Amino acid sequence: GATIQLENLTKSYPGSPSPAVEDVSMDIKAGETVILVGPSGCGKSTTLKMINRLIEPTSGRIRIGDEDVTDMDPVKLRRKIGYAIQSSGLFPHMTVAENIALVPKMTGWSKSGVKDRVEEMLDLVGLDPREFHGRYPRQLSGGQQQRVGVARALAADPPVLLMDEPFGAVDPITRDHLQDELIRLQHELHKTIVFVTHDFDEAIKLGDRIAVLRERSHIAQFDTPEAILTN
Ligand code: ADP
Ligand code: ADP
């Protein structure tokens, strides 16, 4: 993992009377899982998308490790950041293998390197490569789609993993399994994870630290689950 520093991040969408995210600063340690939890509309996704350069901040800086990535080329940034979203975000016209291969290919991996990596990633998320390799997303269950989404996000071995309600669209039992899997993965891989949810129980279960957000992503509390539960 790598450290992440958010310095006074603000985002005002054009035409909105008030900013969606206002003056957010946060220091995230290498290898920790930080959960952003808060009500719908409080700016969690906007914050995550600014880190991933899907949205330009109106002001403020973002550092990953010792590098300022605020103006970094998005393709270069994909070597540093994996991104997994609700409903998996898989491309429906591509097979499982093609979806997972996307970012390694984009960042210049060799053909054989990519092929091996796809198998390794499917194993990692508990899907048999021989069975799932050639399937299309619509031929998978919701939980399997989310697994492939996580495999894709991890495929180029980025130090940082951003997850936006990744288990929001699956049934409660599958969700519980996927949460356990993520905890197992995290023990193995030590990525720096920023995970967005509106589910407080999920935050408590998965977080090393939890940022409780209010409107415009104002940080009400930023602490360990134990400390937050006793306050
Ligand atoms: P959350 O992820 O916590 O639900 P979002 O970051 O999606 O919150 O949204 C924060 C605020 O910004 C909301 O008021 C939302 O309506 C607004 N917003 C989000 N995306 C856009 C956009 N593309 N244009 C204008 N307003 C937006
Ligand atoms: P949405 O339209 O739901 O907001 P996004 O703009 O967040 O979707 O992302 C578009 C697609 O690009 C998604 O399928 C997402 O998974 C993928 N994507 C975005 N950033 C990355 C990244 N850093 N690594 C891998 N895939 C990414």
Side-chain angles (χ1 to χ4, degrees):
T3 58
I4 304 172
Q5 282 175 288
L6 311 182
E7 294 173 11
N8 309 103
L9 270 188
T10 293
K11 176 66 188 182
S12 301
Y13 288 109
S16 295
S18 66
V21 171
E22 189 173 55
D23 200 24
V24 169
S25 297
M26 194 180 281
D27 278 349
I28 298 173
K29 296 173 200 159
E32 78 172 333
T33 301
V34 165
I35 315 290
L36 308 183
V37 66
S40 183
C42 76
K44 303 181 297 296
S45 290
T46 300
T47 302
L48 214 61
K49 285 180 174 177
M50 284 194 281
I51 302 173
N52 205 17
R53 289 292 311 280
L54 296 168
I55 291 178
E56 294 294 325
T58 306
S59 60
R61 313 294 307 174
I62 301 157
R63 291 176 170 281
I64 296 181
D66 48 19
E67 208 165 4
D68 189 324
V69 301
T70 322
D71 304 308
M72 185 181 274
D73 165 46
V75 173
K76 204 175 157 207
L77 197 60
R78 273 167 176 48
R79 291 172 208 254
K80 290 185 181 289
I81 300 179
Y83 185 57
I85 59 175
Q86 186 169 0
S87 307
S88 81
L90 296 175
F91 294 107
H93 58 289
M94 291 184 186
T95 64
V96 163
E98 287 164 348
N99 267 287
I100 296 172
L102 209 61
V103 178
K105 268 189 184 162
M106 186 168 36
T107 54
W109 288 41
S110 74
K111 245 187 167 169
S112 63
V114 171
K115 195 164 169 284
D116 291 345
R117 187 66 178 166
V118 168
E119 301 221 338
E120 192 186 338
M121 288 298 102
L122 282 170
D123 278 331
L124 185 73
V125 298
L127 296 173
D128 182 350
R130 285 164 304 175
E131 189 179 346
F132 289 96
H133 178 100
R135 287 212 206 170
Y136 286 90
R138 69 184 138 74
Q139 299 170 315
L140 305 174
S141 72
Q144 289 165 345
Q145 290 185 23
Q146 287 309 127
R147 285 167 196 266
V148 176
V150 172
R152 181 177 66 177
L154 291 170
D157 199 22
V160 171
L161 181 57
L162 305 179
M163 309 184 85
D164 194 345
E165 304 249 9
F167 311 141
V170 296
D171 65 87
I173 293 173
T174 305
R175 177 178 234 211
D176 207 53
H177 279 304
L178 291 170
Q179 291 169 343
D180 291 339
E181 287 270 305
L182 185 67
I183 291 168
R184 182 185 61 77
L185 271 181
Q186 183 60 342
H187 284 143
E188 206 172 310
L189 302 176
H190 306 288
K191 301 293 181 188
T192 307
I193 299 180
V194 186
F195 186 110
V196 160
T197 184
H198 60 260
D199 178 349
F200 192 70
D201 292 333
E202 184 167 65
I204 294 290
K205 179 170 174 183
L206 297 179
D208 294 317
R209 286 195 295 166
I210 298 170
V212 181
L213 305 181
R214 301 274 183 256
E215 67 287 348
R216 302 191 290 283
S217 283
H218 284 182
I219 301 171
Q221 267 184 301
F222 187 29
D223 217 326
T224 60
E226 297 73 26
I228 283 178
L229 284 173
T230 52
N231 273 317

